[in-house]
């Protein structure tokens, strides 16, 4: 991939995540996920923490409230601005810095802890992002990741949308692969020890029925919005996708408007 092509891909990613209202998804649908990650990686007062692909601060804000010195980095400035406002409202002090997960502007071993809550998984080149994740953590420091699994609800959302979406650029890897334990272990390689990976379920009770989920994601979740925009002149295909999303939600309905979204929680220690 040429540098120009890569820059174009990153620009498209920034634009996609600025679509809709991802901060509301983080606040209304998955707020517990960031707190769970912060607890799992044992963020403590005095830790210097980097949250990669932080979005609007789903895990960065809880880390700051735990007493850590936190840098929240993300490719999309609009998400950082939303996070800054949310942090101020909650009395959390942290830094918000634009950064590409595949080329982080930080020194080797600069942080005690690096985290990412369903964020780094969307960097298109997985090994480059994983190498940067490991590089910026000091020897003996901690890494924590929460990523949607391929088999879980969000992994299946991407599988459902794939036939309707434009083909990905050459070299780009599917985000839900980061929810596969074998894939993550291979990415982190010998740079880490004490890897613990476990599948957990996030209880989601935001959507009373299938159309509620579909319309919410069509208006607020950047990847879904982007797919529907690509179908703007294909109303028949858009209607097919509507039905496919409704079927997905129905298959995951636990009753009373509740679903369980599976994610992979990974903690590891940087090799000394």
């Amino acid at each position: 991939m040429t540098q120009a092509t890569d820059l174009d891909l990153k620009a498209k990613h920034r634009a996609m995540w600025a679509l809709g209202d991802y901060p509301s998804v983080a606040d209304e649908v998955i707020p517990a996920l960031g707190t769970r990650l912060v607890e799992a990686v044992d963020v403590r007062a005095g830790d210097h923490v980097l949250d990669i692909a932080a979005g609007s601060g789903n895990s960065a804000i809880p880390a700051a409230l735990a007493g850590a010195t936190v840098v929240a980095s993300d490719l999309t400035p609009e998400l950082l601005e939303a996070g800054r406002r949310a942090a101020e409202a909650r009395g959390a002090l942290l830094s918000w810095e634009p950064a590409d997960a595949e080329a982080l502007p930080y020194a080797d071993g600069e942080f005690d802890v690096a985290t990412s809550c369903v964020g780094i998984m969307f960097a298109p080149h997985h090994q480059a992002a994983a190498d940067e994740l490991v590089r910026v953590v000091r020897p003996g420091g901690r890494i924590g990741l929460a990523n949607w699994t391929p088999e879980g609800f969000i992994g299946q959302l991407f599988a459902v949308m794939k036939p309707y979406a434009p083909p990905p650029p050459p070299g780009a890897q599917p985000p839900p692969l980061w929810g596969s334990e074998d894939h993550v272990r291979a990415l982190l390689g010998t740079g880490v020890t004490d890897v613990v990976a476990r599948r957990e379920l996030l209880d989601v009770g935001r959507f009373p029925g299938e159309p509620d989920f579909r319309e919410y994601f069509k208006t607020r979740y950047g990847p879904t919005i982007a797919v529907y925009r690509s179908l703007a002149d294909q109303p028949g295909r858009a209607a097919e996708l509507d039905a496919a999303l409704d079927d997905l939600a129905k298959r995951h309905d636990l009753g009373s408007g509740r679903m369980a979204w599976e994610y992979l929680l990974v903690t590891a220690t940087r090799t000394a």
Side-chain angles (χ1 to χ4, degrees):
M1 179 178 290
T2 67
Q3 182 178 12
T5 302
D6 190 52
L7 290 173
D8 181 61
L9 174 60
K10 298 302 173 63
K12 289 180 179 178
H13 270 245
R14 281 195 299 271
M16 179 184 71
W17 287 106
L19 294 172
D21 186 4
Y22 182 75
S24 70
V25 178
D27 292 342
E28 298 172 7
V29 184
I30 62 169
L33 198 56
T35 300
R36 175 70 185 108
L37 176 59
V38 167
E39 292 172 348
V41 79
D42 192 24
V43 172
R44 304 183 286 267
D47 281 336
H48 192 198
V49 177
L50 175 65
D51 193 31
I52 299 170
S56 54
N58 189 263
S59 57
I61 293 174
L65 292 173
T69 300
V70 180
V71 175
S73 67
D74 198 275
L75 192 65
T76 304
E78 292 87 346
L79 297 182
L80 295 175
E81 185 55 38
R84 185 179 291 109
R85 293 193 298 270
E88 290 175 355
R90 296 178 63 181
L93 299 176
L94 60 157
S95 299
W96 301 88
E97 301 179 0
D100 180 352
E102 297 177 5
L104 295 170
Y106 306 110
D108 294 357
E110 185 171 339
F111 297 91
D112 300 308
V113 181
T115 60
S116 188
C117 183
V118 294
I120 197 172
M121 64 183 292
F122 292 101
H125 308 110
H126 293 187
Q127 192 62 63
D131 290 347
E132 285 292 272
L133 165 70
V134 173
R135 180 185 66 79
V136 299
V137 178
R138 65 168 174 80
R142 308 184 303 285
I143 290 170
L145 303 169
N147 294 311
W148 304 120
T149 65
E151 301 83 4
F153 182 78
I154 296 297
Q156 288 300 297
L157 169 67
F158 279 88
V160 166
M161 294 193 300
K162 184 178 179 180
Y164 300 90
Q173 295 175 277
L177 278 179
W178 274 91
S180 164
E181 179 178 347
D182 289 345
H183 186 68
V184 174
R185 285 182 178 273
L187 290 174
L188 299 179
T190 59
V192 299
T193 60
D194 304 320
V195 178
V196 177
R198 48 192 175 270
R199 291 175 181 244
E200 297 189 355
L201 296 174
L202 178 71
D203 180 66
V204 175
R206 178 63 177 74
F207 309 110
E210 293 87 9
D212 301 284
F213 155 74
R214 182 209 336 131
E215 291 306 313
Y216 188 96
F217 268 60
K218 282 175 69 172
T219 57
R220 304 199 188 198
Y221 192 58
T224 306
I225 296 169
V227 172
Y228 273 96
R229 286 192 175 185
S230 75
L231 301 175
D233 59 350
Q234 303 176 65
R237 293 278 286 165
E240 289 177 11
L241 181 53
D242 281 349
L245 292 180
D246 285 353
D247 180 65
L248 172 68
K250 184 176 182 179
R251 285 188 277 115
H252 284 79
D253 182 20
L254 301 177
S256 301
R258 308 207 73 82
M259 291 188 279
W261 294 4
E262 186 182 67
Y263 61 95
L264 184 73
L265 183 67
V266 177
T267 58
T269 302
R270 177 74 167 91
T271 304

